[in-house]
Amino acid sequence: MDEEKIKAFIHRYEEVYFFAAKRVTAIVTEKVLEDITIEQYQILRYITMYPNCQATMLADMCGVNKSAISAMIERLVQKGLVERIRDEKDRRNVFLESTEKGRVVYEKGEQQIQKYVSGYLTELSEGEIDTFLTVFEKISASMAEKERGNEQ
């Protein structure tokens, strides 16, 4: 594929992605987040979906260093949304779980996101949705693979 065509595709992708991400962020912020940022909500979402995860897993998932993720976790702990649980066999291991309050915030967020996004998905066929997600997953996997290659 020639360079100009790639440049045009990237431009289209950026416009679509940034618009969609901005809208989802706005709806979550407006309808759900009372006292947390979108980044904190994403961390809370991951912790709720994957109980007993650890800070290093979150740092990898978010692509940030452990100290940055630790600061975000601390804010969620202070707000009563997340709790740290020490492994009784090895106190160095700390697992993260959402609290009841955190699960309520997560559920409210998920409901609002589904309500908002489903209104647009109904305009697409199942095949179009599947194709879109397959391509997006392929791009994501390719990016993750290249990042792993750069770390070595």
Side-chain angles (χ1 to χ4, degrees):
M1 192 176 325
D2 71 48
E3 194 172 318
E4 283 303 310
K5 196 169 251 186
I6 290 173
K7 190 175 181 180
F9 284 142
I10 290 171
H11 182 71
R12 281 177 60 196
Y13 166 79
E14 288 174 332
E15 287 200 4
V16 169
Y17 174 78
F18 290 132
F19 175 76
K22 184 178 179 181
R23 292 302 311 139
V24 169
T25 298
I27 198 77
V28 171
T29 302
E30 177 185 317
K31 305 258 185 201
V32 179
L33 307 180
E34 297 149 14
D35 192 29
I36 63 174
T37 66
I38 191 69
E39 292 82 11
Q40 290 170 344
Y41 177 77
Q42 291 168 332
I43 302 264
L44 175 63
R45 181 178 185 274
Y46 190 88
I47 292 170
T48 303
M49 291 175 63
Y50 304 99
N52 293 318
C53 70
Q54 294 180 291
T56 52
M57 297 162 75
L58 286 169
D60 290 343
M61 188 261 314
C62 294
V64 298
N65 63 39
K66 194 168 183 297
S67 63
I69 209 72
S70 293
M72 283 191 241
I73 292 167
E74 181 56 30
R75 285 190 281 281
L76 291 171
V77 168
Q78 290 173 356
K79 293 172 187 196
L81 302 173
V82 169
E83 62 185 340
R84 293 182 181 97
I85 300 168
R86 292 211 176 266
D87 186 342
E88 292 180 17
K89 295 177 183 161
D90 185 348
R91 305 276 300 154
R92 294 173 294 178
N93 289 328
V94 178
F95 301 102
L96 302 166
E97 285 193 14
S98 57
T99 63
E100 183 60 35
K101 181 180 176 184
R103 287 187 290 278
V104 167
V105 170
Y106 162 75
E107 283 299 325
K108 186 177 177 185
E110 290 302 292
Q111 289 170 1
Q112 290 298 325
I113 291 168
Q114 287 177 17
K115 179 180 170 184
Y116 177 76
V117 175
S118 68
Y120 295 101
L121 292 181
T122 57
E123 297 178 20
L124 303 173
S125 70
E126 279 188 39
E128 289 171 324
I129 295 168
D130 187 55
T131 299
F132 167 75
L133 293 174
T134 299
V135 169
F136 214 72
E137 289 165 346
K138 190 172 183 179
I139 291 169
S140 180
S142 176
M143 293 171 98
E145 183 68 28
K146 287 186 193 252
E147 285 178 15
R148 280 193 294 277
N150 289 338
E151 291 173 359
Q152 296 173 0

